[in-house]
Amino acid sequence: MIETDILIIGAGPTGLFTVFEAGLLKLKCHIIDGLPQPGGQLTELYPKKPIFDIPGFPSVLAGDLVTNLMEQIKQFQPGFTLNEVAEKIERLEDETFIVTSNKGTRHHAKAIAIAGGLGSFEPRKPILKDIEFYEKENRGVEYFIKDPEKFRDKRVVISGGGDSALDWSVFLANVASEVTLIHRRNEFRGALDSVEKVQELKASGKIKLITPGEVIGFKGSERIESVDVEINGARMNVPTDYFIPLFGLTPKLGPIANWGLEIEKNAIKVDNALDYQTNIPGIYAIGDVNTYPGKLKLILCGFHEATLMVQSVYQRMNPGKKYVLKYTTVSGVDGFDGTRKEAEKAVVKSID
């Protein structure tokens, strides 16, 4: 049995940062995640994709953000149960919880923080004949870009009209030998800055843009050699080495959906007026997995929710005890491993 103060379900950025904020309150954390390594979607889906809205980082690669978070929480010695899914939950008489994974690992916790992002996810796949054949064994259809170097000096066709399609088209323009972006409408629904960058790259000849257009089939016996595209009723053939449809993800809560939590549109309802607690006392939901009026699915919002949530857990574990907030620049940070981080002390000295 693994014992911990807070059991965090989800090792994405919100779950990882929870360890740091909990550590400041001397609360021990253990993390469960179905993936084989920490980082959640940032590691699994787009480790080389730049993120632009993390405070203090004009741009940071998703994988680097995970690396930095892991370094930040190292001194608080979190435990990890990886490649396992939280499956069953039992609430004990003392209001603590036992969570059992799909592989039988048991965890005993005083509170639970569900930070599962979008939950388990699958790409939204286009309905195209023989697409299953080309999905296998590096035959040309890819739904995620984990390593952009895979596409170095290759011809790439990207399909989609959102941020992922735009951002990866921009990024791969300097990696692939040829990038073609296809969208069934003339208008894109991504960030204005990304749309403008694609426009600039199109004007300079670094990106080919086909709108309105839609991929309707493939050619190639062993792997993809080209895609067939329909444009206003006409057809054209575009030679390519890879076809990357980026139509978003289909999220699923998985076993958590059966825990008796209040669910709304595949997200967990929480009390955002106080502490992001669910309808079950002692179980919280933070990050993209939760919902409340005005919810924004941003990493920085998850960080904020995690910070307030651990304060509530502290009060739950220490009823009646008042916690006095101290800035880390003043109090320093004491790790569970005996390390200490602190700002340099002011020097008191007279000037002659």
Side-chain angles (χ1 to χ4, degrees), residues 150-168:
K150 181 176 184 176
F151 308 99
R152 173 71 63 181
D153 300 326
K154 302 294 184 181
R155 297 167 301 177
V156 175
V157 169
I158 294 176
S159 186
D163 284 315
S164 292
L166 291 164
D167 291 346
W168 278 121

Side-chain angles (χ1 to χ4, degrees), residues 229-244:
V229 183
E230 185 175 280
I231 309 170
N232 293 325
R235 293 192 178 189
M236 69 178 295
N237 186 262
V238 179
T240 190
D241 298 303
Y242 289 98
F243 171 54
I244 309 173

Side-chain angles (χ1 to χ4, degrees), residues 54-256:
I54 302 299
F57 290 90
S59 175
V60 59
L61 295 181
D64 290 344
L65 178 59
V66 172
T67 299
N68 291 342
L69 286 166
M70 289 294 289
E71 179 64 27
Q72 186 178 30
I73 68 176
K74 182 171 64 176
Q75 66 186 126
F76 293 122
Q77 301 178 315
F80 288 91
T81 298
L82 297 175
N83 215 21
E84 298 185 30
V85 175
E87 191 169 72
K88 298 178 182 178
I89 187 170
E90 179 184 358
R91 185 184 178 94
L92 305 182
E93 291 185 3
D94 62 357
E95 296 188 340
T96 62
F97 303 89
I98 293 179
V99 174
T100 306
S101 78
N102 61 321
K103 296 184 180 179
T105 307
R106 288 162 59 84
H107 310 76
H108 183 215
K110 299 178 179 68
I112 294 173
I114 301 173
L118 294 175
S120 60
F121 44 84
E122 295 180 357
R124 292 191 175 97
K125 302 180 180 182
I127 302 175
L128 295 170
K129 183 181 178 181
D130 297 328
I131 192 168
E132 293 83 3
F133 172 81
Y134 294 104
E135 290 173 353
K136 301 173 183 176
E137 301 172 2
N138 194 32
R139 293 175 180 169
V141 171
E142 302 285 341
Y143 295 104
F144 305 125
I145 301 176
K146 297 181 182 180
D147 181 10
E149 285 301 313
K150 181 176 184 176
F151 308 99
R152 173 71 63 181
D153 300 326
K154 302 294 184 181
R155 297 167 301 177
V156 175
V157 169
I158 294 176
S159 186
D163 284 315
S164 292
L166 291 164
D167 291 346
W168 278 121
S169 294
V170 171
F171 190 92
L172 291 179
N174 295 315
V175 176
S177 63
E178 182 179 287
V179 174
T180 302
L181 175 59
I182 301 173
H183 183 39
R184 59 180 178 170
R185 298 186 179 92
N186 291 317
E187 301 80 18
F188 289 85
R189 62 184 183 279
L192 179 60
D193 180 61
S194 298
V195 175
E196 291 176 346
K197 286 180 180 177
V198 168
Q199 182 67 47
E200 293 172 3
L201 290 168
K202 176 195 172 186
S204 64
K206 299 200 71 174
I207 287 180
K208 295 181 180 179
L209 187 63
I210 300 177
T211 60
E214 188 171 2
V215 174
I216 59 173
F218 309 102
K219 284 186 172 61
S221 57
E222 299 297 324
R223 70 180 322 278
I224 284 181
E225 296 175 4
S226 64
V227 294
D228 293 323
V229 183
E230 185 175 280
I231 309 170
N232 293 325
R235 293 192 178 189
M236 69 178 295
N237 186 262
V238 179
T240 190
D241 298 303
Y242 289 98
F243 171 54
I244 309 173
L246 298 174
F247 300 145
L249 302 171
T250 300
K252 298 179 180 178
L253 284 176
I256 292 174

Side-chain angles (χ1 to χ4, degrees), residues 328-344:
T328 54
T329 51
V330 176
S331 65
V333 179
D334 293 306
F336 297 161
D337 57 359
T339 60
R340 177 172 174 79
K341 296 178 181 177
E342 59 182 334
E344 291 186 12

Side-chain angles (χ1 to χ4, degrees), residues 13-14 17 42 50-61 64-65 68-69 72 298-305 307:
T14 296
F17 188 67
L42 272 64
I51 301 174
F52 303 106
D53 58 359
I54 302 299
F57 290 90
S59 175
V60 59
L61 295 181
D64 290 344
L65 178 59
N68 291 342
L69 286 166
Q72 186 178 30
L298 297 172
I299 293 174
L300 61 92
C301 294
F303 290 167
H304 164 78
E305 293 164 11
T307 304

